[in-house]
Amino acid sequence: MPDCLFCRIAAKEIPAQIVAETAECLAFRDISPQAPTHVLIIPKAHYGSLSDVNDALVAGRISLLAAEVARTLGVAESGYRVVINTGPDGGQTVHHLHAHLLAGRALHWPPG
Ligand code: 5GP
Ligand code: ZN
């Protein structure tokens, strides 16, 4: 989608600090990190949110890449959280499916 920020990052039209890339997905640092490690994992194809996904492979690839990035960045043992904000009450602000990988500090529960 031409006006979608994360489609443009996936197309390398907008720069991002990429930490991992596969044929289908991209992982890059969040511009406004909420934890010492804060990475976004997106499918390169456009899905508005998790609610628009009907392909288990898409959801699976995102989860597997999040776990792989956690290992690569050395936070797998200390622990991490993977979050997919969805819709208004979920706090979603960018309408291209993305998972947040948060790590590097103790994360509170329940979330605010
Ligand atoms: P959401 O609130 O939709 O779950 O998360 C969107 C995330 O995208 C936010 O954490 C925000 O900081 C991040 N973000 C917004 N614009 C940019 C950008 O241009 N580059 C990067 N790397 N992250 C962005
Ligand atoms: Zn998009």
Side-chain angles (χ1 to χ4, degrees), residues 34-52:
Q34 302 301 310
T37 296
H38 188 172
V39 172
L40 301 174
I41 297 100
I42 65 168
K44 291 180 177 175
H46 182 89
Y47 297 87
S49 80
L50 186 62
S51 297
D52 298 314

Side-chain angles (χ1 to χ4, degrees), residues 40-73:
L40 301 174
I41 297 100
I42 65 168
K44 291 180 177 175
H46 182 89
Y47 297 87
S49 80
L50 186 62
S51 297
D52 298 314
V53 175
N54 58 8
D55 183 348
L57 275 177
V58 174
R61 285 185 181 117
I62 289 170
S63 300
L64 289 179
L65 187 56
E68 184 182 317
V69 169
R71 284 190 291 272
T72 304
L73 297 183

Side-chain angles (χ1 to χ4, degrees), residues 1-8 10 42-48 94-97:
M1 292 218 346
D3 290 337
C4 171
L5 174 64
F6 286 178
C7 278
R8 296 189 68 194
I42 65 168
K44 291 180 177 175
H46 182 89
Y47 297 87
V94 175
H95 299 285
H96 176 127
L97 172 63

Side-chain angles (χ1 to χ4, degrees), residues 5-6 28-32 40 85 91-94 98 100:
L5 174 64
F6 286 178
F28 54 95
R29 305 249 182 212
D30 196 290
I31 204 167
S32 176
L40 301 174
N85 296 329
Q92 183 177 7
T93 60
V94 175
H98 54 282
H100 297 255

